[in-house]
Amino acid sequence: MVVADTAMLSKYAHLCEVPVRPARWLTESVRDHRLKSPDLYRFCTPSAETCLRAPPSSSKRRYNYSEFRVEVNYDLKSQSAKRRKVVDYSLSSGSTASDQSDSIVKNLFPVLKISRPPSTVRHSEAVETVSSPSARPRRWACEIRPTMSDTDFPMNAKICELLGVVQEAYALKKDHFRTLGYQRAIAKIRSLPHEVLTIDDVRSLGGETSIGSRIERKITEIITTGRLLQAETVLNNSENVAVKTLCDVWGIGPVKAMGLVAEGITSIEQLRAAVRKNDSLLDLNQKIGLKHYEDLLHRIPREQVAELEYYVRRIVKRVDSSIDIKVAGSYLRGKKSCGDVDILVYGSSQKLKKAFPEITKRMKKDGVLTDDLVHGAGKYFGIFKFPGRRHGRIDLFAVPHEQYPYALLTYTGSAVFNSHQGLQKVCRTNYSRTRVEPPIRVRDEKEIFLLLDIPYVPPSARSIS
DNA sequence: AGGCGGTACTG
DNA sequence: CAGTACC
DNA sequence: GCCT
């Protein structure tokens, strides 16, 4: 099943191999901290009719999350009568968090392999994988269509490249929404199953395409002339190029960069010279970003992230053995290299209060954390370094265990993946340091997918851009 | 005409 | 408060 | 920028 608004429905319902449910269902379930009966929230449009799940045979079935009894549709692709399984388990258990999650996973997803710790296995095995592809839907709700590789359709790639130049220029001007418009149009082109060689290839899509008259005109220009004047103007604008370069320094954004360019600073070297003369040109974080500019341009090899994980866990366990860590982000998604390292530090909020500052303190004493960028009560952003290695960016998040699955989902990303299907919304509502009400209780990420009734997507499949 | 993500930290 | 960053 |  898919949580959808009306626009979503008209766009994607025909692609869904699972039932569709209105967003109102999610909103009210979240608000009231219990799952509303889906039968009260059905779309009645003909196109969605075939997607709707048949009403439960037992009219007494309740969707109360406190007793956590939900239906699991774990073989959505099966053409035969839908196989269903009712899962019913109590929320009390003496086992550890990872034991719990493993056994739950095995119960819910018999075909799922549970990985050993990433540091002890080869990269390709380091993420949870589904052993039998036929045991889950081919097309996930969060992955509406596969993205074509650039070589598939040269013209599409060209269009995306040139529109991307314009989009970046708007991003630097902080024209947030025009940027968004271009991003969506580019995503659309990239997802097309055919090459755009005439403008009719775009027009024939019909419906909501994210491509309006303006972008359509630009696409026409690219198709007919092979060029886009506006993009060339941007690329030839040295001021633009300089702003972009300066924005690569952590802590410098478009506004600061434009200010620097206005002062005649157009390169990293010039910026360093300028800071030597005027110490207050940059704030503390920007100076740190500049100091490690070259190192931070490099991605961190997966093996080194695993080393860091080992080290941080050792520190954490010494501070408080009831606390554990989880490396999320692109590492958890199985990438061979990571732009930074995201680490969730999770345990009881009481213990975290004392332990979290202590953990970063010890890492600093060891010389592993070399610079602090942000340290709040619930998050730490900084720079780490191991002997003989480059500096790298590290983020630590203190997560109370009842919010852990939401935080894990959030920080595993990708950002684009999270932006689909209400994932962002449900995580936001339930993972927040300032949150007062208790979150909807879930034990692991899979239960969040259940909550949304979206087929589970393993981390390795969430790297959509 | 108005929406397009929400939150947390720095200075 | 604006700016920047996080996914 | 696009969409409702």
Side-chain angles (χ1 to χ4, degrees):
Chain A
M1 178 158 15
V2 170
V3 176
D5 56 31
T6 321
M8 267 285 313
L9 180 66
S10 60
K11 255 197 301 190
Y12 299 129
H14 66 289
L15 298 174
C16 294
E17 298 170 2
V18 292
V20 176
R21 183 183 291 176
R24 192 165 52 86
W25 168 82
L26 170 63
T27 308
E28 297 183 11
S29 296
V30 168
R31 184 197 61 200
D32 298 343
H33 296 278
R34 63 185 284 268
L35 291 183
K36 302 290 184 174
S37 164
D39 302 331
L40 305 174
Y41 298 83
R42 303 176 84 189
F43 280 115
C44 295
T45 48
S47 64
E49 201 60 51
T50 52
C51 296
L52 287 170
R53 176 192 286 178
S57 46
S58 161
S59 55
K60 289 194 291 186
R61 177 159 296 133
R62 295 183 53 208
Y63 291 79
N64 188 328
Y65 232 75
S66 60
E67 61 187 44
F68 206 83
R69 182 188 177 93
V70 293
E71 273 185 32
V72 184
N73 234 341
Y74 67 96
D75 193 351
L76 294 157
K77 209 187 165 222
S78 163
Q79 284 295 58
S80 57
K82 289 165 203 155
R83 282 194 262 152
R84 287 188 194 165
K85 185 176 179 181
V86 172
V87 185
D88 194 355
Y89 40 82
S90 78
L91 287 171
S92 59
S93 165
S95 51
T96 68
S98 58
D99 286 344
Q100 268 182 17
S101 115
D102 280 8
S103 63
I104 289 168
V105 167
K106 277 172 198 150
N107 285 339
L108 295 187
F109 298 87
V111 296
L112 209 58
K113 272 190 202 158
I114 310 303
S115 70
R116 286 161 289 152
S119 49
T120 66
V121 295
R122 286 187 303 112
H123 154 246
S124 57
E125 302 173 332
V127 290
E128 295 164 356
T129 52
V130 177
S131 57
S132 160
S134 64
R136 49 149 168 77
R138 186 186 300 115
R139 187 177 288 136
W140 291 295
C142 298
E143 198 190 1
I144 307 305
R145 282 208 186 146
T147 342
M148 295 298 149
S149 85
D150 281 358
T151 47
D152 289 344
F153 305 125
M155 186 53 87
N156 293 19
K158 184 85 185 167
I159 292 167
C160 293
E161 181 199 330
L162 293 175
L163 291 181
V165 171
V166 178
Q167 176 244 311
E168 235 173 41
Y170 281 125
L172 292 179
K173 285 184 196 159
K174 297 219 88 180
D175 191 337
H176 195 278
F177 298 121
R178 216 163 297 231
T179 306
L180 190 68
Y182 274 90
Q183 278 169 346
R184 297 216 248 241
I186 291 167
K188 186 71 194 180
I189 298 291
R190 274 208 293 180
S191 73
L192 290 181
H194 60 266
E195 187 160 23
V196 178
L197 295 173
T198 74
I199 199 57
D200 286 335
D201 291 331
V202 172
R203 284 193 186 143
S204 62
L205 296 177
E208 182 195 323
T209 60
S210 298
I211 295 167
S213 58
R214 298 221 183 70
I215 288 189
E216 187 186 297
R217 230 180 294 145
K218 292 174 210 282
I219 291 176
T220 307
E221 183 184 339
I222 296 168
I223 292 170
T224 55
T225 70
R227 308 164 57 184
L228 182 61
L229 214 58
Q230 194 183 358
E232 291 177 19
T233 310
V234 169
L235 289 175
N236 290 331
N237 182 341
S238 56
E239 186 181 306
N240 239 306
V241 175
V243 168
K244 220 179 110 178
T245 306
L246 297 177
C247 281
D248 288 339
V249 176
W250 200 94
I252 294 183
V255 173
K256 182 67 187 179
M258 278 196 287
L260 292 170
V261 171
E263 294 184 43
I265 299 165
T266 60
S267 71
I268 300 300
E269 270 324 300
Q270 286 175 15
L271 181 56
R272 286 194 164 126
V275 172
R276 281 195 287 272
K277 282 181 193 145
N278 174 8
D279 190 56
S280 60
L281 185 63
L282 300 180
D283 68 28
L284 285 177
N285 285 349
Q286 291 163 342
K287 283 184 204 164
I288 294 168
L290 182 58
K291 181 165 68 173
H292 300 304
Y293 172 78
E294 286 81 7
D295 274 9
L296 296 189
L297 283 183
H298 288 90
R299 294 180 67 80
I300 305 160
R302 184 176 181 80
E303 297 70 34
Q304 293 180 24
V305 179
E307 287 171 10
L308 185 66
E309 175 183 20
Y310 180 82
Y311 164 80
V312 175
R313 177 167 287 115
R314 221 178 46 190
I315 296 285
V316 165
K317 290 298 181 187
R318 257 188 258 160
V319 172
D320 186 331
S321 61
S322 74
I323 296 176
D324 199 5
I325 63 163
K326 177 80 172 177
V327 182
S330 48
Y331 178 77
L332 187 57
R333 298 201 307 271
K335 294 294 196 180
K336 288 184 193 132
S337 68
C338 308
D340 64 2
V341 184
D342 305 297
I343 302 181
L344 275 56
V345 181
Y346 61 96
S348 84
S349 47
Q350 193 65 256
K351 298 203 166 186
L352 281 171
K353 206 178 284 180
K354 268 194 282 176
F356 194 63
E358 179 64 22
I359 290 161
T360 50
K361 192 178 142 197
R362 292 201 189 190
M363 290 171 69
K364 272 186 255 185
K365 212 172 82 187
D366 284 355
V368 171
L369 292 181
T370 61
D371 303 86
D372 304 334
L373 294 165
V374 169
H375 43 247
K379 71 164 70 164
Y380 173 91
F381 296 170
I383 310 287
F384 77 94
K385 183 180 188 327
F386 276 158
R389 299 269 159 75
R390 292 190 185 96
H391 292 82
R393 279 269 300 105
I394 181 173
D395 298 342
L396 298 169
F397 301 94
V399 181
H401 60 268
E402 65 275 12
Q403 296 181 9
Y404 172 75
Y406 298 103
L408 181 59
L409 190 45
T410 299
Y411 292 116
T412 300
S414 67
V416 174
F417 174 80
N418 287 352
S419 71
H420 283 292
Q421 302 295 335
L423 282 174
Q424 206 153 237
K425 186 174 228 160
V426 77
C427 287
R428 182 168 62 240
T429 330
N430 290 285
Y431 165 57
S432 160
R433 209 175 57 78
T434 54
R435 186 187 168 84
V436 197
E437 316 151 60
I440 299 178
R441 288 174 70 175
V442 291
R443 293 181 170 203
D444 58 21
E445 279 187 322
K446 294 180 184 67
E447 291 189 355
I448 302 174
F449 285 84
L450 287 177
L451 176 62
L452 297 173
D453 232 328
I454 296 171
Y456 176 70
V457 181
S460 56
R462 298 182 203 164
S463 291
I464 55 175
S465 54

